[in-house]
Amino acid sequence: MAHCVGRPGGRDWEQKPAKAAEWAMLSLVPRPSGRPAMLSPLPLDPYEDDAGLSRVAVVRHRPAPVEVPVGVLPAGDLEVRLERVDGETLRWSWATADEPIFPHPLATLPDDEPSTVRLTSGPDGFTLRHEGVLGRHAFALGLIWDQLLDTAGPYPWVETLRRQAAEATAQAEKTRRLRAEREAERWGGPPPSDRVRGLLSQAQSLARMDRPILDRIDALPAARQREAACWAARRAMRVAGLEGIGWIAEVLAAAEADHPLPPSFTEQGGAPAFHRLLSDPEVPHTTVPLRIDSKTFGIHSVTEMLQQAAAFPALLALANDDPLAAAIDAVYNAAIAHGDDRDRFFTDAHTALR
């Protein structure tokens, strides 16, 4: 085993031994990099590769008797456990702390293997040997042992770690608060359930129109969600003058009877059915105002859109196997199809969905 020896007559860190020990401990328990995930990872540091390397011994000598602390050395989210084996031998091991102090606690230990600390006496004094440590940790451990052997009292790195933890906690709270504010703006209130947030649907757009209706749909059992989707689709077809078009009426009736929809509605996102709508001479052509959301697009304007094209996606929504997504999309598109009469539609929707 290789040795790293502290020269008995050599210079200690006379000027700042506590700061040296603090630096040493912090180097052993570094916080994860704050590098954004979108950036490519940094190359591996060859200094950190311990594969195939021998472990070393850190040696410290003192002319006078010394005490080796037994118990726990706190190190933020981690701790060092010094357990006595016999009168001259202790076991040094890293572990996670029972009560971590950072908002995102460390889980990786500096060294997974325990090491051995021996304290022996001789005619020229006392010698401490910390055996079996990683070579790249030897210098830092030497500085830490200088502090432990020469100075009683609080460990100098503890307050620094607490301060860093307090700053990290404050930053995490600030980030959480800003995220909550952005989410509240996106959703028109506190974020809905994870189920709703995970949908590929018009949930956010519906929430900005009428947040309570989104929560009401989410709270319905699946069978009622499917009924809500059919109800909204029928209202959309009615307001757009499509309820009496033969093939559309048949599809709507099939959905209400829980029968499968034709392939033109289930394939290619319903594009064949939408093409048939636009080419059918029996389909009326009316327009409704489409008011652009200034918060979403940075402008506030009103344009006209074909009412039948606005309403038809409510019927296409019934092809979705997920009743929650189908209900959300059908209600949203039905609301768009009602144009400036949207508020009355939502009033009716709240009544229908109770």
Side-chain angles (χ1 to χ4, degrees):
M1 177 180 289
H3 296 257
C4 295
V5 180
R7 187 160 51 92
R11 292 181 58 193
D12 292 327
W13 290 66
E14 299 168 350
Q15 65 279 29
K16 294 180 179 178
K19 291 298 293 182
E22 175 191 317
W23 169 87
M25 183 59 81
L26 295 180
S27 74
L28 296 178
V29 292
R31 302 301 304 169
S33 171
R35 187 178 178 86
M38 66 182 66
L39 299 179
S40 58
L42 294 172
L44 295 177
D45 187 346
Y47 176 68
E48 305 250 337
D49 184 6
D50 301 307
L53 296 181
S54 300
R55 289 181 173 257
V56 303
V58 175
V59 181
R60 285 297 185 264
H61 182 82
R62 295 295 185 271
V66 292
E67 291 288 337
V68 176
V70 178
V72 173
L73 304 182
D77 294 331
L78 306 181
E79 62 187 23
V80 174
R81 296 176 182 173
L82 272 168
E83 303 167 292
R84 187 169 294 283
V85 177
D86 55 40
E88 294 183 347
T89 309
L90 298 96
R91 180 181 292 106
W92 169 295
S93 60
W94 289 95
T96 54
D98 292 336
E99 297 183 1
I101 61 176
F102 282 84
H104 301 290
L106 289 177
T108 302
L109 303 179
D111 190 356
D112 293 325
E113 296 185 21
S115 49
T116 300
V117 178
R118 304 183 194 277
L119 183 64
T120 58
S121 61
D124 59 344
F126 291 78
T127 300
L128 178 138
R129 293 173 55 85
H130 189 170
E131 303 171 347
V133 304
L134 295 172
R136 58 189 169 88
H137 291 172
F139 181 68
L141 288 171
L143 297 178
I144 291 171
W145 277 117
D146 285 339
Q147 175 71 19
L148 296 177
L149 295 176
D150 296 340
T151 306
Y155 307 117
W157 54 82
V158 169
E159 285 305 315
T160 300
L161 285 168
R162 286 176 178 168
R163 185 180 69 253
Q164 292 178 351
E167 293 171 354
T169 299
Q171 182 60 44
E173 174 59 23
K174 179 180 178 181
T175 300
R176 185 204 63 77
R177 189 168 59 251
L178 291 175
R179 185 181 294 115
E181 291 173 357
R182 288 195 297 267
E183 287 288 282
E185 184 175 345
R186 290 170 57 200
W187 291 102
S193 67
D194 291 342
R195 171 100 164 82
V196 170
R197 296 172 70 185
L199 290 175
L200 294 175
S201 70
Q202 296 288 355
Q204 278 190 33
S205 298
L206 179 59
R208 287 194 291 266
M209 287 182 181
D210 188 319
R211 175 54 192 277
I213 201 69
L214 177 65
D215 294 335
R216 177 159 281 169
I217 294 171
D218 186 24
L220 293 174
R224 288 282 292 121
Q225 288 169 347
R226 182 62 67 182
E227 291 174 4
C230 292
W231 175 88
R234 182 166 289 281
R235 284 294 300 265
M237 298 306 98
R238 183 176 303 163
V239 75
L242 298 175
E243 194 177 20
I245 304 297
W247 62 278
I248 294 177
E250 291 175 2
V251 170
L252 186 56
E256 291 172 335
D258 201 23
H259 294 160
L261 272 60
S264 61
F265 280 77
T266 58
E267 298 174 355
Q268 303 176 46
F274 202 90
H275 178 73
R276 182 178 180 181
L277 171 81
L278 298 180
S279 60
D280 189 339
E282 294 186 11
V283 170
H285 288 72
T286 53
T287 60
V288 288
L290 176 65
R291 303 188 181 276
I292 305 299
D293 184 354
S294 59
K295 291 183 179 179
T296 303
F297 297 99
I299 57 174
H300 183 75
S301 62
V302 180
T303 187
E304 294 287 321
M305 69 179 303
L306 182 65
Q307 188 176 28
Q308 289 69 36
F312 200 68
L315 185 59
L316 294 176
L318 303 185
N320 197 321
D321 292 332
D322 186 332
L324 176 58
I328 289 172
D329 287 353
V331 170
Y332 167 77
N333 287 292
I336 292 292
H338 279 75
D340 285 340
D341 206 19
R342 182 186 305 168
D343 289 345
R344 185 175 65 83
F345 166 76
F346 278 128
T347 298
D348 293 346
H350 278 285
T351 300
L353 302 185
R354 281 176 186 163

